[in-house]
């Protein structure tokens, strides 16, 4: 809780006093910046340096080989957090608002690195650096434009958090039906913070809206909070009696009655209170030092037979058998230092601190935070990390005590309820504790991005398309009726009524493709309906176009045949053969296209900021199918031109 400079002076002064005999290890300090500076001193004297509060990723990387972290590193925290958001909540992205450039930079980098692993690749990282409300309003507006519905508010101070709530409320992002999920930092579940902020909150205030059913991600959870009834650490805590309390009071008397750092607990202190936040982490840090020092010292010791036979290694865990060189059965054995050490009777040699560090890294034990295991160069392994998900909920029994004239609560009280815990490498839900979201349900909000611009087809474009389609249908109908009415007239008979009617029908079929292309989600159509419309579009267009051109071709081809052989009759059936051939080829291609690579509706991203999409009909190999159909149409058109040229000399 001290400032960085004051803490550094105190620690360095203590180390200088003990320069001749450095300590076995250093635990802490709380501020991450102090640990960053302290590592140079602990490195120089090879003292294991254990962190139990905050840790930067670079502190547990290879170049800080004296650092050991009983808490999860930012890399593992990001990995586990994305695992929960993706696999448990089906989220596709996240926005992060932060004020700490170092810790947030660590998390931000790891979010990006692990995003592809969990299919979460949409992020927005915003640092609130200018401390003004206008700057914050711009940040929140940017996040809204990105369309991200999961927002991690990594802000530490109460004042700034309230400012965030006001800006979110101003943009309509705190309403219960807005579909947002807010992730709050770890300190929101600290007991003193809960008592300070969650006591009585004005109902309907921005602070009330933000707290209600938000998520708190505790990246370094005290394991005793999961099962208070059966936790061994908590049972041992509560087993401390009044005699122990009095002994501690006698050893550490209060020096300053006004001090907030020291106090005289009552005899029932351990029964009336639970351990402070991160107490379990501090306990495991201390146990790591003790077990590591014992293990390192055991490795320095040797078992001798008659004062000379040595043991290569002492057991590092219960049940491991000792391996001796040349030990005679029945001989008396005794613990002695190595042959080149002090003479018999001298105290055993103390292991060097770098050996203590190596011994700690090799440890595996069950501590206050359950299974503890380290990986080189000293960070806690992901599978042994303990992380919790808390749900901030209103407390009905306290929220309804203050009511207005209508019987509604004027104030709300909140509590943090543990709903899921990460233990032994996987997430597990706390029994009988469902997470309740802002809409009051247990169903998480949609993880899809909120699109700011969908580029829906405008109504005037749709109306224009319908006008041309209707006009085509009307003209085709009028012409078809006219052809039928005047079918016995010489001019109509010469034009071959069957093929003229076929041209009218083909015009209607081809123009119907306008109908299937005139709708999208903005018209209320579902994705399945749009898929059907997309599939039908090439059928209408291609078949209509081929019918039209084939009818013209057959009409001209029949005329040429008749004019070349004046006494020969060319039937409609014979003249229709090219139409049938063209349609069969087109049908084979269209059926194969629909079965193998269907032409379906798809919405694609245009811009990430602001989030903009557009919808279209598409398939994997469009031109592989559409190309041959266009080639068929082009070939038919060329043949029509050729036969039209041959018919130029035929008189009307």
């Amino acid at each position: 809780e001290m400032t960085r400079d004051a803490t550094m002076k105190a620690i360095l002064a203590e180390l200088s006093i003990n320069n001749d005999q450095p300590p076995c290890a250093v635990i802490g300090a709380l501020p991450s910046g102090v640990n960053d500076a302290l590592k140079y001193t602990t490195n120089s004297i090879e003292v294991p340096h254990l962190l139990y509060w905050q840790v930067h990723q670079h502190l547990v990387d290879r170049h800080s080989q004296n650092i050991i972290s009983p808490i999860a590193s930012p890399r593992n925290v990001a990995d586990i957090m994305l695992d929960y958001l993706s696999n448990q909540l089906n989220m596709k992205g996240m926005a992060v608002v932060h004020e700490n450039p170092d810790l947030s930079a660590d998390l931000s980098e790891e979010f990006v690195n692990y995003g592809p692993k969990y299919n979460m690749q949409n992020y927005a990282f915003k640092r609130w650096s200018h401390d003004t409300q206008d700057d914050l309003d711009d940040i929140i507006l940017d996040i809204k434009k990105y369309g991200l519905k999961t927002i991690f508010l990594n802000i530490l101070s109460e004042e700034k958090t309230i400012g965030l709530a006001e800006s979110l409320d101003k943009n309509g992002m705190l309403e219960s039906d807005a579909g947002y999920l807010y992730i709050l930092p770890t300190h929101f579940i600290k007991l003193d913070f809960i008592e300070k902020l969650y006591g009585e909150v004005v109902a309907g205030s921005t602070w009330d809206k933000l707290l209600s059913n938000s998520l708190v991600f505790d990246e370094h959870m005290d394991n005793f909070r999961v099962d208070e009834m059966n936790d061994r650490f908590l049972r041992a805590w509560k087993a401390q009696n009044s005699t122990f309390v009095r002994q501690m009071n006698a050893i550490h008397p209060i020096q300053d009655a006004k001090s907030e750092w020291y106090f005289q607990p009552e005899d029932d202190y351990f029964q009336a209170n639970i351990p402070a936040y991160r107490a379990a982490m501090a306990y495991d840090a201390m146990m790591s030092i003790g077990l590591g020092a014992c293990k390192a010292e055991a490795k320095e010791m040797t078992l001798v037979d008659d004062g000379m036979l040595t043991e290569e290694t002492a057991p590092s865990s219960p049940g491991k058998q000792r391996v001796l060189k040349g030990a005679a059965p029945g001989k008396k054995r005794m613990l002695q230092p190595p042959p080149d050490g002090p003479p018999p009777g001298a105290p055993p040699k103390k292991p060097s601190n770098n050996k203590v560090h190596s011994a700690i890294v090799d440890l595996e034990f069950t501590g206050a935070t359950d299974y503890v295991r380290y990986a080189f160069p000293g960070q806690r392994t992901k599978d042994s990390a303990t992380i919790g998900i808390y749900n901030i909920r209103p407390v009905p029994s306290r929220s309804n005590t203050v009511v207005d004239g209508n019987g509604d609560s004027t104030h709300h009280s909140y509590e943090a309820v543990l709903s899921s815990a990460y233990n032994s490498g996987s997430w597990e839900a706390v029994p009988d504790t469902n997470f309740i979201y802002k809409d009051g349900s247990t169903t998480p909000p949609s993880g899809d991005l909120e699109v700011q611009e969908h580029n829906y087809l405008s109504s005037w474009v749709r109306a224009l398309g319908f006008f041309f389609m209707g006009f085509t249908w009307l003209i085709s109908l009028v012409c078809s009726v006219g052809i039928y009415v005047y079918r016995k007239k010489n001019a109509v008979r010469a034009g071959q009524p069957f093929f003229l009617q076929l041209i009218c029908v083909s015009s209607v079929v081809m123009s119907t493709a306008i109908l299937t292309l005139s709708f999208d989600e903005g018209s209320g159509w579902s994705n399945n309906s749009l898929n059907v419309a997309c599939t039908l579009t090439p059928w209408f267009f291609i078949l209509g176009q081929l019918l039209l051109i084939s009818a013209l071709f057959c009409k001209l081809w029949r005329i040429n045949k008749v004019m070349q052989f004046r006494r020969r009759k060319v039937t409609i059936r014979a003249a229709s053969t090219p139409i049938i051939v063209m349609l069969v080829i087109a049908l084979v291609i269209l059926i194969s296209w629909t079965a193998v690579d269907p032409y379906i509706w798809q919405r694609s991203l245009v811009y990430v900021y602001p989030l903009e999409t557009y919808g279209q009909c598409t398939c994997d190999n469009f031109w592989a199918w559409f190309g041959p159909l266009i080639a068929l149409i082009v070939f038919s058109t060329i043949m029509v031109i050729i036969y039209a040229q041959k018919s130029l000399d035929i008189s009307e």
Side-chain angles (χ1 to χ4, degrees), residues 30-85:
L30 267 64
S32 186
V34 175
N35 290 319
D36 200 9
L38 184 61
K39 71 178 182 183
Y40 298 105
T41 302
T42 53
N43 259 334
S44 65
I45 58 176
E46 295 183 337
V47 172
H49 183 182
L50 283 85
L51 312 178
Y52 73 97
W53 196 265
Q54 285 183 337
V55 56
H56 293 315
Q57 185 61 47
H58 69 271
L59 285 176
V60 291
D61 283 336
R62 186 177 296 272
H63 66 274
S64 300
Q65 293 189 11
N66 68 311
I67 295 289
I68 297 176
S69 174
I71 60 178
S73 66
R75 181 172 298 143
N76 286 337
V77 168
D79 190 356
I80 296 169
M81 187 174 184
L82 293 183
D83 181 5
Y84 180 83
L85 293 176

Side-chain angles (χ1 to χ4, degrees), residues 27 94 110 151 155 202-203 286 292 419 447 464 470 492 535 561 634:
I27 299 179
M94 177 170 57
E110 301 307 332
I151 304 178
I155 302 297
V202 177
M286 181 64 72
S419 63
L464 186 62
V492 175
T535 302
K561 287 296 182 183
V634 170

